[in-house]
Amino acid sequence: MKSFALSQYRAPLECIETSTPVPEGNEVLLRVRACGVCHTDLHIWEGGYDLGGGKMMKMSDRGQKLPHTMGHEVVGEVVAIGHEALHLVEAGRTYLVYPWFGCGECQVCKSSDEHLCPTPRYLGVLRPGGYADHVLVPHPRYLVDIPALSPEQAAPYACSGLTAYSALKKLGPRGLRKPILIVGAGGLGLMCLSLLKAMGRSGAIIADIDPDKRRAALSAGAIAALDPTTDAFAKLLAERSEGGIHAIIDFVGSPASWDLSMATLAKGGTYVIVGLYGGERALSLATMPLRAITVSGSFVGSRRDLIELMGLVRTGVDPMPIVTRPLESAHETLSDLKEGRIVGRAVLVPGRPS
Ligand SMILES: [Zn+2]
Ligand SMILES: [Zn+2]
C-alpha cells in the first residue's frame, strides 16, 4: 500500500510503500475513498500545540512515532475483515470512520466517550491514518453508516462536523433558544451555522476580523456578522442579541478571542472553547461565581454524537464547500491550508487523476 507520511516534523511528506495489512481479530481493512485535510494535521506536521508561556505539547511526547501517516477524516470501502468481525460488517460497503479511538477497555471508553480516553489511539494522530490508499480500523464499531452523500462530502463530518455538533450540544437546549455568538467564521464556524439551521434553532451572530469570512457567514445564514475590532462592535452586538449573549462558541481559542468572549458573555452564560490557536490568559477567580459563568473546553465528539449527526445530515444539512485533490498532492494541500489558500474543506481522493 501507498501512504504519504511525515518522516520529520516540518518536512515535506514522503511517499512510502509498505505491505498492505491483513486484518486480524476484530480489525477491518478499508480502501480509502476520501480523506479530509484538517487544521489538526498542520499542528501534527509542526510537531505539537502551543500551550502558552513558551510551552509546547509535543506529538512525540504523546507517543507519536515517525514516520507517521496523518488523516483522521476517512471514508473507505471494506475490503478485508478479521475473522472475529465477519458477522459485524459487510464487505464492499462504504463507511465513515469514527477516528477518535480509545483503549476500548476503560470506563470512559465503555461509556462511549472514547475521544476522552486517557490512553487514546486516534486514527491519523497516533495510528496510521488516511493519507494512504488503505487504512486499518481496529473494530467495526468505528464504522458509521453514511447517508446518500459522496465520500468526499461525508469525510469531513468525522472531525469538522463532529466538532461543531458536539460544541453545540454543550450549550444544551436552553443555550440554543436565543441567538448564540460564534467567534471565527472559518470552516467550523460555517459548519456550525449549517447545523443550527438544520436543527431548527435560532441562529448565530458571527464575530470575525476578516471581511470575506463575514460575507461567507452571512450567506450561510448568520443573523449578523460583526468585526470585533471596531468601536461599534459592543453596541451592534447588544442590538442583535435579544437581551445579551448567553452562549458563545469560540473556534479560534486565542488570547484575543478569550478577551472578546469574556467581555461579551452575560451572567449565567456558557463559553465553549474549541479552537486550538493557543496562548494563555490569567483568570480573575471571583468573576466565575459572581457572574455564574461556565467555561468549557470541547474536543471533537463521541461516537454517539457522530451517529446522531449522521441522522441530522439525513434530514438535510447544507453541503459544505469541498475542494478535492489527488492523494499524491497531500503535501501541497497541507501547504495550501497553512497559507490560507483553500476555500472550504480540502479532501484527498486516492486514484483521482491530478
Ligand atoms: Zn479507554
Ligand atoms: Zn480534524
Side-chain angles (χ1 to χ4, degrees):
M1 63 174 273
K2 187 161 75 173
S3 343
F4 285 80
L6 184 65
S7 299
Q8 201 187 325
Y9 293 115
R10 293 176 176 271
L13 301 183
E14 281 176 23
C15 179
I16 53 174
E17 291 272 352
T18 48
S19 52
T20 307
V22 177
E24 292 174 5
N26 276 309
E27 292 172 339
V28 182
L29 181 72
L30 305 180
R31 184 170 66 81
V32 177
R33 301 278 312 274
C35 179
V37 178
C38 173
H39 269 277
T40 296
D41 297 342
L42 276 180
H43 288 291
I44 296 173
W45 181 77
E46 287 171 348
Y49 292 93
D50 175 10
L51 296 179
K55 293 189 284 290
M56 193 167 176
M57 185 180 82
K58 289 188 188 163
M59 297 310 297
S60 51
D61 293 345
R62 291 185 70 196
Q64 190 178 74
K65 301 262 185 296
L66 299 184
H68 170 69
T69 305
M70 300 190 283
H72 51 269
E73 294 183 345
V74 180
V75 168
E77 180 191 337
V78 174
V79 289
I81 308 168
H83 64 279
E84 283 171 40
L86 281 169
H87 59 294
L88 299 169
V89 68
E90 211 179 302
R93 221 164 135 182
T94 296
Y95 295 94
L96 174 64
V97 182
Y98 174 79
W100 310 109
F101 312 155
C103 70
E105 304 293 327
C106 71
Q107 280 311 312
V108 179
C109 285
K110 288 195 168 135
S111 66
S112 168
D113 280 333
E114 287 199 43
H115 62 303
L116 302 177
C117 173
T119 48
R121 298 170 187 181
Y122 306 147
L123 181 74
V125 180
L126 296 164
R127 285 175 59 106
Y131 287 15
D133 49 21
H134 288 80
V135 79
L136 192 66
V137 172
H139 195 279
R141 71 173 177 277
Y142 301 119
L143 303 178
V144 175
D145 280 323
I146 44 179
L149 287 180
S150 66
E152 48 272 34
Q153 277 289 337
Y157 281 111
C159 176
S160 165
L162 178 62
T163 300
Y165 181 71
S166 171
L168 281 169
K169 272 187 74 176
K170 290 198 172 55
L171 299 175
R174 208 171 131 248
L176 295 176
R177 268 208 295 261
K178 286 199 329 124
I180 66 167
L181 178 68
I182 293 175
V183 184
L188 282 169
L190 298 182
M191 169 68 79
C192 218
L193 286 170
S194 309
L195 296 180
L196 272 172
K197 198 159 122 191
M199 289 158 96
R201 298 293 180 178
S202 58
I205 299 165
I206 289 276
D208 201 297
I209 51 174
D210 180 335
D212 289 342
K213 289 189 176 158
R214 291 201 299 274
R215 265 192 293 279
L218 287 173
S219 344
I223 297 169
L226 307 175
D227 179 354
T229 60
T230 59
D231 293 342
F233 175 75
K235 183 172 163 280
L236 291 172
L237 188 65
E239 280 168 16
R240 309 303 295 268
S241 66
E242 299 175 20
I245 291 291
H246 289 82
I248 301 177
I249 301 180
D250 179 358
F251 288 116
V252 181
S254 70
S257 66
W258 163 276
D259 291 346
L260 167 74
S261 303
M262 290 306 257
T264 304
L265 191 64
K267 278 188 177 178
T270 301
Y271 169 35
V272 179
I273 306 175
V274 179
L276 284 160
Y277 182 92
E280 60 183 347
R281 270 293 179 259
L283 179 64
S284 155
L285 297 180
T287 56
M288 299 290 285
L290 288 172
R291 292 170 66 191
I293 55 176
T294 303
V295 177
S296 159
S298 188
F299 174 72
V300 298
S302 69
R303 199 154 50 85
R304 206 185 311 114
D305 288 343
L306 186 59
I307 293 166
E308 274 177 34
L309 173 60
M310 287 299 105
L312 184 66
V313 170
R314 253 178 217 105
T315 69
V317 171
D318 292 343
M320 68 187 101
I322 294 288
V323 183
T324 57
R325 297 275 182 89
L327 172 63
E328 287 69 23
S329 72
H331 185 73
E332 187 194 330
T333 307
L334 208 56
S335 308
D336 286 347
L337 183 66
K338 188 170 191 298
E339 300 306 323
R341 289 191 294 255
I342 297 207
V343 179
R345 199 71 167 172
V347 179
L348 302 174
V349 179
R352 180 183 179 272
S354 0

